[in-house]
Amino acid sequence: MIRQELLALLGQDLDGVTIDKLYHAVNQCVQNKMKNIPHVSGDRTLYYMSAEFLIGKLLSNNLMNLGIYDEVKEAVESMGYRLSDLEEYEPEPSLGNGGLGRLAACFLDSIATLGLNGEGLGLNYHFGLFKQVFGKDHFQHETKDVWLEKPSWLTKTDFTVPVTLGSTSVIGRMYNLDILGYNGEKTTLRLFDLESVDETLVGDGIQFNLEAIDKNLTLFLYPDDSTDAGKRLRFIQQYFMVKCNLAWVLSQHEAHIETLHEHVAIQLNDTHPVMVIPMLALELEKRGIAFDKIVEIVTKTCAYTNHTILAEALETWPISYFETIDRNLSEMIWKLDREARSRSKDPFIGIVGYYYIVHMAALACNFSHSINGVAALHTEILKKTTLKSFYELYPERFNNKTNGITFRRWLQFSNRELTSWIESKIGEDFTQDAMSLVKLEAFKEDKEALQELLDIKHLKKQQCVDYIYEISGRKVNVNSIFDIQIKRLHEYKRQQMNLLYIIYLYLRIKDGVVPKRPITFFFGSKAAPAYVIAKDIIHALLVMQTLIESDEDVRKHIQIVFVENYNVTKAEMLIPACDVSEQISLASKEASGTGNMKLMLNGALTLGTLDGANVEIAEHVGDESIYIFGKHSDEVIDLLGSGSYNPRAMYENTPWIRRCVDFLTSEPMRNIGTFDCLNRLRYHLVDHDPFMTLLDFEDYVWVKNEMFEDYENRMEWASKMMMNIANAGFFSSDRTIASYNEDIWNLK
Ligand code: 26Y
């Protein structure tokens, strides 16, 4: 088949096949094969609406799910290439930013695998979030991420939607992307694009004309909303997405619109698609349905997932935005506001709040039959704080759905060696039922098995070392401890605390106390382009990376590797190689985390706070096999409430902490970096520290030191690794999706 495709492409014999042609041909063959795979089906359809789907590369994943990986590998080799050349050539779709988008991708994988009748709906962004480039100046720079150029997995459809945006009219077109499950069925991710999109609007960086909405709507995910024009654009982008997504849903179910909820479930991935609530209400009103009935249909159709308690991510929009774009929609919002207020005297229940601001979470909570958090602790915090008013009014709507990850990508595909080894020990059951990994517990004191596990870790570390060398020219010591923090850059995730620890070690080495074994600190993360302190943290880390590299005494013992433009592909290389998984958010702030799950599944031990899903990881693996530090969430919530946290006092009263913080603006740092930025970060830590870095720093240092010491007892460490892998089963997204289906969607 590949040869035939090549002949069709080249129109001649197969001499001189280039990588792009070969990729094109293989991609085409796989797509043809996928056409014959049956689509999931059923009476009721789930639409998973999301602004992000961080699906990662698809070629190898699809080959594996089609069961032809080895055959195609051989075929490609017979043509003088390696499959890995093609894997490398494939661009990674840049359709997400972090955990929320990757979760949506894992969910589609599980939906297809479980054969549930669900599909994904979203937008197609031509340049994704942005591509991160580290300059010689040790700063993050942003450029467009061009991923659509090569033959992509998207297919153009005839389904188009006219969308009126105030005085402008545009057309949205649907593109489909098949998502293969593991058990012989597939589903579809439907992404809408702006027909009149104009890529030439963007030059070298990520700047473009924010006003030209008929050309710019699907250029980037989350255009910078630090300005008013940027904010308005993001709003219109959401409007466009929901309008198109809903048009598709209604086109499929027009015949039974009055009983829509019996045929359709819409899951809202955070507040980004929540406009569907008033928009659907409006569509029902247009069809002559009475208001009470409208409220019933909408509420029974929609379900809302919250992914954060951070105020900045709880979206609000001025009602004037709605008025400008669609007066009928703003009127519907007012109607829904009156309806909500009629149910309670509590002012927080209202949708349009002070200053005529529309609270999207309030819309979601009032008109969804289900409201869920993404880890047990997070759901409890929602009930007690962020969504307390709604919990009091609608207690029956609240439920928890602890996140999960797909083991197909995060174990079977990215760690084939570990997968085969597990198979050799406990058989293949775990590929269908992740809980059966628990059988591995039987080997937790088996010296031979433990040694094999360590050998696999070493092998994956070596592969990672080779990869890092290839992409960055950096040489990493494979025998060092791999300490890894990979996630978006945000103060609450506290990359700055990890940085302070590295400074602490650096100063100790300078004082003559060297670690028993070298340690490599890996980072991978992007900072939002307008998030000043986050960019300062990246700057400080990059400066520290260079400082250590240029110091002969220190570089033998510690190294920083800040991986540029972290994405799914890089995660697949780093995660199997990890020893220490950094999950160090300020307790109460990380809704769940999913990297923590991928890392434990690959035999890393967690160094973490009792936050998000870390709490459940600790329950599953047991206290012996995880390293917990820091203040508990209730203490943190009290401290935040009372406003009594005083970082300056901690800084002034603890000389060794002061020394670490002050090092940020020391001469060696200033010589490499930019004083103003380093100094801003230092003052921010001393005088603001909104996520309490200094509060937990001391405990972090002691527990981390203890962990590195424990690493030397290789057999005990391996036993803990085994406990982590054996107890990762609960964190399979198959479990999460089965639970969404049972409690919320009720698909057959
Ligand atoms: C407001 C807008 C710009 C915005 C855009 C993206 C707000 C939030 C987000 C993304 C949020 C996100 O990725 N949240 C993460 O969701 C994961 C999946 O549930 C969680 O594991 C993780 O803790 C949470 O931070």
Side-chain angles (χ1 to χ4, degrees):
M1 281 173 73
I2 296 172
R3 280 181 194 284
Q4 268 164 19
E5 286 294 337
L6 276 170
L7 282 174
L9 279 172
L10 293 166
Q12 52 184 7
D13 64 81
L14 299 180
D15 289 345
V17 173
T18 50
I19 185 86
D20 56 325
K21 293 287 184 300
L22 186 59
Y23 176 75
H24 200 144
V26 174
N27 180 299
Q28 202 53 56
C29 290
V30 176
Q31 293 210 35
N32 289 343
K33 273 224 164 252
M34 283 165 65
K35 280 197 191 112
N36 301 324
I37 303 283
H39 200 276
V40 290
S41 60
D43 294 340
R44 196 164 195 242
T45 313
L46 157 75
Y47 297 94
Y48 195 85
M49 278 192 194
S50 176
E52 302 184 26
F53 288 92
L54 208 45
I55 51 181
K57 295 189 182 188
L58 293 171
L59 178 64
S60 290
N61 213 254
N62 286 343
L63 289 175
M64 283 190 44
N65 284 359
L66 286 168
I68 55 172
Y69 185 92
D70 292 324
E71 267 170 87
V72 172
K73 190 162 178 269
E74 255 175 58
V76 168
E77 279 163 9
S78 76
M79 293 175 191
Y81 284 92
R82 288 171 309 175
L83 188 55
S84 58
D85 297 330
L86 294 186
E87 286 169 349
E88 213 173 287
Y89 180 79
E90 179 182 3
E92 177 176 325
S94 182
L95 298 171
N97 154 34
L100 168 147
R102 183 54 231 174
L103 185 77
C106 284
F107 279 7
L108 288 183
D109 181 290
S110 285
I111 285 168
T113 297
L114 297 181
L116 294 174
N117 188 30
E119 47 188 50
L121 294 176
L123 276 191
N124 185 28
Y125 312 96
H126 288 234
F127 300 138
L129 183 68
F130 63 82
K131 186 168 166 188
Q132 180 189 54
V133 180
F134 294 146
K136 292 215 163 28
D137 55 3
H138 298 88
F139 282 102
Q140 164 182 299
H141 298 278
E142 300 93 23
T143 64
K144 58 191 179 199
D145 193 348
V146 183
W147 67 274
L148 260 175
E149 266 181 342
K150 298 173 182 170
S152 86
W153 297 93
L154 289 168
T155 49
K156 192 172 178 176
T157 73
D158 294 334
F159 188 79
T160 58
V161 186
V163 181
T164 306
L165 307 163
S167 55
T168 314
S169 286
V170 298
I171 292 183
R173 181 183 291 277
M174 188 168 82
Y175 289 78
N176 287 345
L177 197 154
D178 281 343
I179 306 284
L180 274 190
Y182 190 62
N183 290 326
E185 281 182 281
K186 69 179 178 201
T187 182
T188 311
L189 170 57
R190 306 182 192 279
L191 300 174
F192 283 84
D193 203 347
L194 183 69
E195 246 335 49
S196 49
V197 66
D198 182 358
E199 293 190 0
T200 65
L201 232 49
V202 189
D204 286 343
I206 52 168
Q207 310 307 324
F208 60 93
N209 179 357
L210 295 173
E211 311 287 340
I213 52 172
D214 57 327
K215 297 186 182 139
N216 69 18
L217 270 187
T218 51
L219 287 175
F220 287 99
L221 166 71
Y222 309 130
D224 175 5
D225 63 359
S226 57
T227 63
D228 202 48
K231 204 170 164 198
R232 206 175 276 268
L233 175 59
R234 195 156 70 73
F235 171 82
I236 300 173
Q237 200 178 38
Q238 285 190 359
Y239 180 89
F240 174 75
M241 172 175 90
V242 174
K243 192 90 184 172
C244 293
N245 288 182
L246 183 60
W248 170 253
V249 176
L250 294 180
S251 75
Q252 300 303 293
H253 302 279
E254 194 64 63
H256 38 247
I257 201 96
E258 292 197 16
T259 52
L260 192 71
H261 52 281
E262 289 170 16
H263 304 271
V264 171
I266 295 178
Q267 189 70 38
L268 303 165
N269 200 22
D270 220 290
T271 50
H272 318 147
V274 162
M275 274 183 219
V276 75
I277 287 174
M279 232 182 245
L280 174 58
L282 207 56
E283 291 293 336
L284 296 172
E285 190 179 61
K286 267 195 225 157
R287 288 160 177 82
I289 299 175
F291 187 70
D292 285 356
K293 187 80 189 151
I294 290 176
V295 168
E296 184 195 336
I297 297 174
V298 171
T299 308
K300 286 185 173 167
T301 303
C302 295
Y304 162 58
T305 305
N306 174 290
H307 295 265
T308 185
I309 62 158
L310 290 186
E312 75 200 41
L314 288 175
E315 290 186 298
T316 57
W317 302 111
I319 187 90
S320 61
Y321 282 18
F322 291 91
E323 281 162 5
T324 316
I325 205 167
D326 185 345
R327 187 157 270 285
N328 292 330
L329 193 63
S330 60
E331 270 164 23
M332 180 52 80
I333 290 174
W334 280 115
K335 275 187 213 165
L336 295 172
D337 178 66
R338 282 194 294 277
E339 164 66 25
R341 287 183 193 277
S342 75
R343 298 176 190 173
S344 163
K345 287 203 175 65
D346 182 343
F348 291 113
I349 294 295
I351 289 157
V352 189
Y354 291 120
Y355 306 108
Y356 298 97
I357 294 291
V358 180
H359 293 260
M360 302 310 279
L363 248 182
C365 291
N366 280 302
F367 301 102
S368 299
H369 65 284
S370 162
I371 303 166
N372 79 279
V374 288
L377 176 69
H378 173 231
T379 302
E380 287 313 306
I381 293 176
L382 287 180
K383 291 188 203 167
K384 273 194 228 128
T385 63
T386 322
L387 301 179
K388 184 166 184 275
S389 299
F390 299 99
Y391 180 58
E392 280 166 5
L393 187 57
Y394 311 115
E396 73 292 349
R397 294 186 182 181
F398 280 73
N399 62 95
N400 175 245
K401 294 286 166 283
T402 299
N403 283 165
I405 55 169
T406 166
F407 285 24
R408 266 77 61 187
R409 185 174 284 268
W410 298 110
L411 177 64
Q412 292 171 246
F413 165 65
S414 57
N415 203 338
R416 289 165 73 86
E417 297 83 350
L418 182 58
T419 305
S420 313
W421 180 81
I422 296 173
E423 272 169 19
S424 76
K425 293 291 169 207
I426 60 167
E428 280 181 15
D429 291 359
F430 71 95
T431 62
Q432 294 294 336
D433 169 21
M435 290 307 280
S436 65
L437 280 175
V438 79
K439 292 183 205 151
L440 285 173
E441 277 198 14
F443 298 91
K444 77 174 198 267
E445 271 152 28
D446 178 333
K447 287 233 158 66
E448 203 180 316
L450 293 175
Q451 189 54 51
E452 288 164 0
L453 194 54
L454 290 175
D455 292 345
I456 291 168
K457 182 59 80 177
H458 189 85
L459 182 70
K460 297 310 283 184
K461 284 168 81 168
Q462 186 59 53
Q463 290 170 5
C464 178
V465 166
D466 296 343
Y467 178 72
I468 295 290
Y469 183 70
E470 213 174 285
I471 61 171
S472 72
R474 285 208 159 73
K475 288 188 182 153
V476 174
N477 177 352
V478 69
N479 292 313
S480 63
I481 300 174
F482 282 24
D483 177 292
I484 300 191
Q485 188 170 17
I486 38 179
K487 46 188 78 249
R488 287 176 304 143
L489 211 135
H490 199 294
E491 284 166 272
Y492 85 77
K493 297 178 185 280
R494 298 199 291 194
Q495 281 93 350
Q496 70 276 20
M497 191 159 73
N498 199 348
L499 166 67
L500 287 180
Y501 179 84
I502 299 169
I503 292 176
Y504 153 88
L505 271 192
Y506 172 94
L507 293 170
R508 291 221 327 168
I509 295 168
K510 285 293 190 190
D511 290 345
V513 189
V514 301
K516 282 207 185 82
R517 180 192 293 265
I519 307 159
T520 308
F521 298 92
F522 292 87
F523 291 86
S525 53
K526 295 181 180 179
Y531 188 174
V532 174
I533 290 291
K535 290 180 104 171
D536 288 346
I537 295 171
I538 292 189
H539 179 61
L541 278 164
L542 291 174
V543 170
M544 195 70 202
Q545 173 176 275
T546 302
L547 176 64
I548 294 171
E549 266 167 6
S550 53
D551 187 322
E552 246 178 90
D553 301 334
V554 180
R555 70 174 176 231
K556 295 191 288 252
H557 304 291
I558 55 175
Q559 183 181 17
I560 294 180
V561 177
F562 203 138
V563 177
E564 193 177 42
N565 198 40
Y566 175 65
N567 59 14
V568 177
T569 310
K570 288 176 183 160
E572 287 160 4
M573 291 307 299
L574 288 163
I575 287 170
C578 178
D579 295 311
V580 175
S581 158
E582 297 271 352
Q583 308 300 336
I584 61 177
S585 54
L586 174 64
S588 79
K589 295 294 177 186
E590 188 70 270
S592 161
T594 44
N596 47 2
M597 302 167 186
K598 295 162 199 166
L599 288 154
M600 81 179 287
L601 175 62
N602 282 274
L605 307 196
T606 304
L607 170 57
T609 49
L610 281 177
D611 201 12
N614 295 352
V615 176
E616 287 155 87
I617 292 179
E619 283 165 9
H620 279 86
V621 302
D623 295 345
E624 296 291 296
S625 303
I626 188 165
Y627 291 80
I628 296 294
F629 72 93
K631 292 277 183 283
H632 288 211
S633 53
D634 30 10
E635 287 173 85
V636 171
I637 291 169
D638 285 349
L639 256 180
L640 286 169
S642 68
S644 56
Y645 173 56
N646 180 357
R648 182 166 277 281
M650 309 208 68
Y651 165 84
E652 279 171 358
N653 298 334
T654 330
W656 69 272
I657 292 185
R658 189 164 68 222
R659 192 171 166 219
C660 294
V661 175
D662 285 346
F663 187 78
L664 285 170
T665 49
S666 62
E667 209 181 308
M669 292 289 281
R670 285 197 320 243
N671 286 342
I672 300 168
T674 300
F675 175 76
D676 286 350
C677 298
L678 297 167
N679 200 36
R680 180 168 50 207
L681 178 57
R682 188 169 76 93
Y683 271 102
H684 190 73
L685 281 172
V686 176
D687 285 330
H688 300 287
D689 195 19
F691 297 97
M692 303 182 179
T693 317
L694 300 190
L695 180 72
D696 282 343
F697 184 48
E698 185 162 357
D699 202 10
Y700 177 57
V701 170
W702 301 146
V703 175
K704 194 156 165 165
N705 285 345
E706 179 192 323
M707 196 169 181
F708 290 150
E709 238 160 71
D710 288 359
Y711 186 89
E712 296 311 318
N713 188 339
R714 299 308 290 138
M715 279 301 141
E716 248 176 53
W717 183 275
S719 181
K720 294 175 184 183
M721 288 169 65
M722 191 80 83
M723 285 301 284
N724 272 269
I725 303 168
N727 291 288
F730 177 76
F731 301 100
S732 159
S733 48
D734 296 350
R735 185 266 312 152
T736 315
I737 286 299
S739 167
Y740 271 92
N741 189 39
E742 197 165 311
D743 299 346
I744 307 172
W745 305 332
N746 307 124
L747 313 172
K748 295 290 165 311

